[in-house]
Amino acid sequence: MLCQHCKQKEAIMQFFITENGKTREVHLCEACAKNTQEVSFVFHPAIVPEFLQALFGFNAPTKDQPAEMTCPKCGISFSQITQIGKLGCSTCYETFEKQLEPLLRRVHGGGQNVGKIPARRGVDLRNRLEQRKLKEKLQALIQQEAFEEAAVVRDQIREFEQSKGGEKSDS
Amino acid sequence: MIRKELLLQHSAWMSETDSPVVISSRVRLARNLDDFPFPHGLNSEGAAQVEKTVAQVLTDNEGNNVDLIYIPLTELNTIEQQVLIEKHLISPSLGGATGARGVALAPDHRYAVMVNEEDHLRIQVLLPGNQLLESHRLATALDDRLEAKLDFAYRESQGYLTSCPTNVGTGLRASVMVHLPGLVITKQVQQVLGAVTRLGLAVRGLYGEGSQAFGHIYQISNQITLGKSEEDILSHLDAVTGQIVEHELQARDLLRQQTPMLLEDKVWRARGTLQNARLLSSEDAMHLLSHDRLGTDMGLLPKTKDCFATLIVDTRPGCLQYILDRELDPGLRDQERARLVRERIA
Ligand SMILES: [Zn+2]
Ligand SMILES: [Zn+2]
């Protein structure tokens, strides 16, 4: 690996800098290490691999387990993932969903995705969510015995189904 | 645009704003192509194929109001790569890597999209002052434009899929760069930033090591990317940033009221040194420029020709050598740095 500062000489020193409880890693050559005030640590988003390994290792399968499952698309195994601290491909998220769950909970707190939905590829998903929302609204109105408003929402759902060809209504 | 001209271009985020504490705001979206392994698992052919596919879409500027210029990193020498790092347009890890990778830049550097870093795409928008929401609006619009032509990896339950699970979900990393000399001088910075880390945000000194942040510049960013909406992530960071700004301004008031002569002496000494020094290390420069900026912010010093962020960046080793168009050993660098600062601050 080349020195992260001068990018010319081979990095021989590895620094772990702990700051506000966070540790990060820097690789430097000897000359740059002696002159560290010249180093600019800018926008280094990578999280220290050791930290990630510790997180992954939390429930990594042990070595003596029989024939480990691998990702059908990229061929990586979960123990390889724990070693490099990264997944192999997008399909890994499906393949190793169970193993990843505790890790994602520790990093992110366990919530499900509520963020942006892709404009083009997410059309179906968006329609499904919209429909689900309307159905929940309908249920709530029926419980409140607001039948006139409920009828309006029911018509909205029908209209939606016809135009978008989404999920079939249960009714 | 000639490459040198493009790289030397004044980056939009370095412009002076009326925000006395928040220097810049950044939003970065991580995106990956569904059909390829993540970059670390690509062979050289795969990496080249991803680069070609992505660069083509990025530079298809027809009918768009953002013109992006793609630069393969393999075409840049070490100093040019360092310039991009120092201007916050690429990460040090992209610079240090090998193989097909690059960055698509807008002429004013507001947009910088890294290709084949940790993820296939890292869409970045970087604006001056406190403009988190605007940065996000621009990044999302560019994301939509790219998504119209690229198949991004996405799952309903886990959102945008990233090579590192710490970015999964929104793939959104938002950050602000803040200048906190008041909190440092009044010795409150650890306390305030310690509280920030307990609110689920990450803090780091942008330059320098350990608790010492040269130039008193810190970066605050979100940690959680899954289970929260983009709006929640941004408004949380925005609210905490508002609190930090409040504390910094209170600290400056305290200095003005309780030790006015000490404060005036500090900022005038900085100005005097910057105007007269014959040798300046980059650490010295950063420290003095920070005090100088505090002085101009508080109306104690007349404004300088070049603004704080510009001087901080242009005195970094890579930019300094690139501006002067020659390689310099560290000793000569200190001499040229002092000369550049003398000229710019007069
Ligand atoms: Zn070096
Ligand atoms: Zn995989």
Side-chain angles (χ1 to χ4, degrees):
Chain A
M1 174 172 203
L2 281 182
C3 168
Q4 288 178 332
H5 177 221
C6 65
K7 300 195 187 60
Q8 280 161 348
K9 283 171 243 162
E10 192 61 24
I12 54 155
M13 293 187 189
Q14 184 183 29
F15 287 88
F16 288 99
I17 297 158
T18 303
E19 195 176 1
N20 300 308
K22 298 241 139 30
T23 303
R24 64 206 156 87
E25 188 189 22
V26 184
H27 297 267
L28 299 174
C29 71
E30 197 177 11
C32 292
K34 279 186 186 147
N35 196 17
T36 43
Q37 79 271 19
E38 287 267 311
V39 181
S40 56
F41 299 103
V42 286
F43 287 172
H44 201 327
I47 297 204
V48 185
E50 279 69 20
F51 164 71
L52 263 186
Q53 276 168 28
L55 277 175
F56 273 114
F58 184 57
N59 72 329
T62 51
K63 281 242 159 64
D64 44 291
Q65 268 178 341
E68 215 191 324
M69 182 169 62
T70 55
C71 173
K73 195 166 134 200
C74 70
I76 204 170
S77 69
F78 195 69
S79 43
Q80 281 173 296
I81 290 179
T82 64
Q83 266 158 33
I84 53 177
K86 283 177 191 155
L87 284 83
C89 74
S90 55
T91 304
C92 288
Y93 277 95
E94 203 180 326
T95 314
F96 304 111
E97 187 159 16
K98 280 222 165 60
Q99 292 99 315
L100 282 168
E101 212 266 337
L103 164 83
L104 291 175
R105 197 173 336 110
R106 279 173 59 139
V107 173
H108 299 290
Q112 285 256 314
N113 171 50
V114 288
K116 180 176 178 175
I117 299 170
R120 179 176 56 88
R121 295 191 99 200
V123 171
D124 288 348
L125 172 58
R126 227 191 333 270
N127 287 342
R128 246 184 2 256
L129 294 178
E130 182 61 29
Q131 220 170 345
R132 206 179 295 165
K133 215 190 285 172
L134 283 172
K135 281 183 188 167
E136 279 166 12
K137 196 172 162 191
L138 178 64
Q139 285 307 318
L141 288 171
I142 290 172
Q143 275 190 352
Q144 291 161 26
E145 301 188 3
F147 297 116
E148 268 175 48
E149 289 164 58
V152 175
V153 175
R154 190 199 57 215
D155 289 345
Q156 280 177 350
I157 294 174
R158 280 195 188 141
E159 215 172 289
F160 196 83
E161 278 165 0
Q162 275 158 14
S163 66
K164 311 276 182 184
E167 286 172 348
K168 279 268 175 304
S169 166
D170 302 333
S171 57
Chain B
M1 206 178 223
I2 306 161
R3 176 146 312 152
K4 177 126 194 174
E5 199 185 321
L6 176 61
L7 262 58
L8 278 180
Q9 182 68 33
H10 179 85
S11 303
W13 72 267
M14 304 193 300
S15 297
E16 200 65 46
T17 64
D18 50 13
S19 163
V21 178
V22 183
I23 298 171
S24 65
S25 311
R26 181 182 72 136
V27 159
R28 193 216 64 204
L29 301 173
R31 299 288 185 259
N32 285 284
L33 304 184
D34 221 352
D35 298 334
F36 292 87
F38 294 138
H40 69 92
L42 287 171
N43 57 23
S44 56
E45 270 168 46
Q49 220 179 326
V50 168
E51 184 188 39
K52 195 177 161 220
T53 310
V54 172
Q56 204 160 32
V57 175
L58 280 168
T59 53
D60 179 9
N61 293 317
E62 216 176 285
N64 294 304
N65 48 2
V66 190
D67 277 351
L68 296 175
I69 303 152
Y70 186 74
I71 310 173
L73 243 67
T74 45
E75 288 180 11
L76 298 186
N77 63 33
T78 318
I79 289 186
E80 289 170 324
Q81 293 186 18
Q82 214 176 335
V83 168
L84 291 176
I85 294 170
E86 290 169 356
K87 291 190 158 193
H88 303 174
L89 302 174
I90 65 169
S91 64
S93 42
L94 189 80
T98 53
R101 68 206 194 284
V103 62
L105 284 182
D108 64 359
H109 302 174
R110 276 196 301 172
Y111 299 85
V113 184
M114 285 193 282
V115 177
N116 279 341
E117 206 242 22
E118 193 180 283
D119 295 298
H120 295 138
L121 289 107
R122 287 278 174 95
I123 303 166
Q124 171 180 288
V125 172
L126 189 50
L127 296 178
N130 191 352
Q131 297 197 69
L132 274 175
L133 295 182
E134 177 65 2
S135 303
H136 182 250
R137 195 182 66 77
L138 297 178
T140 297
L142 179 55
D143 178 40
D144 287 342
R145 167 183 150 188
L146 302 174
E147 200 264 337
K149 292 185 179 148
L150 297 170
D151 289 343
F152 289 155
Y154 182 90
R155 288 184 86 200
E156 178 176 354
S157 55
Q158 288 154 329
Y160 289 96
L161 306 177
T162 53
S163 92
C164 184
T166 51
N167 296 313
V168 77
T170 56
L172 166 68
R173 194 76 63 195
S175 64
V176 288
M177 214 198 289
V178 288
H179 181 225
L180 306 176
L183 288 174
V184 174
I185 295 169
T186 58
K187 302 198 184 344
Q188 300 176 79
V189 75
Q190 293 297 341
Q191 192 194 334
V192 170
L193 295 183
V196 169
T197 60
R198 286 192 292 279
L199 294 169
L201 298 174
V203 178
R204 47 193 205 82
L206 208 48
Y207 304 99
E209 288 190 38
S211 57
Q212 176 88 353
F214 300 132
H216 311 127
I217 300 171
Y218 296 84
Q219 182 189 288
I220 322 289
S221 61
N222 67 302
Q223 299 258 65
I224 292 174
T225 55
L226 177 66
K228 284 185 175 189
S229 68
E230 286 82 357
E231 290 69 30
D232 285 351
I233 291 170
L234 292 165
S235 64
H236 179 56
L237 177 59
D238 199 46
V240 174
T241 303
Q243 298 267 316
I244 296 171
V245 170
E246 202 59 34
H247 282 293
E248 169 63 21
L249 295 179
Q250 277 170 14
R252 293 182 189 182
D253 278 345
L254 199 73
L255 287 171
R256 198 199 292 275
Q257 284 159 16
Q258 302 201 337
T259 52
M261 261 309 123
L262 219 65
L263 174 68
E264 247 184 82
D265 182 65
K266 213 183 251 300
V267 301
W268 276 106
R269 255 171 211 273
R271 176 63 61 92
T273 311
L274 290 168
Q275 282 174 336
N276 294 291
R278 261 48 189 174
L279 290 174
L280 269 182
S281 69
S282 100
E283 177 189 348
D284 270 350
M286 205 104 70
H287 189 73
L288 294 164
L289 286 168
S290 169
H291 283 167
D292 192 279
R293 160 79 185 234
L294 178 66
T296 50
D297 273 347
M298 295 184 72
L300 299 168
L301 296 179
K303 278 201 186 285
T304 52
K305 197 169 78 190
D306 264 340
C307 74
F308 180 54
T310 307
L311 286 165
I312 289 274
V313 169
D314 285 353
T315 52
R316 306 299 301 153
C319 282
L320 183 69
Q321 295 177 79
Y322 197 56
I323 291 167
L324 298 174
D325 206 13
R326 61 200 163 105
E327 278 188 50
L328 303 165
D329 64 54
L332 209 54
R333 238 181 264 169
D334 288 354
Q335 195 180 319
E336 291 299 335
R337 181 178 291 115
R339 187 202 304 277
L340 180 136
V341 169
R342 282 206 307 277
E343 284 166 11
R344 304 265 194 106
I345 219 151

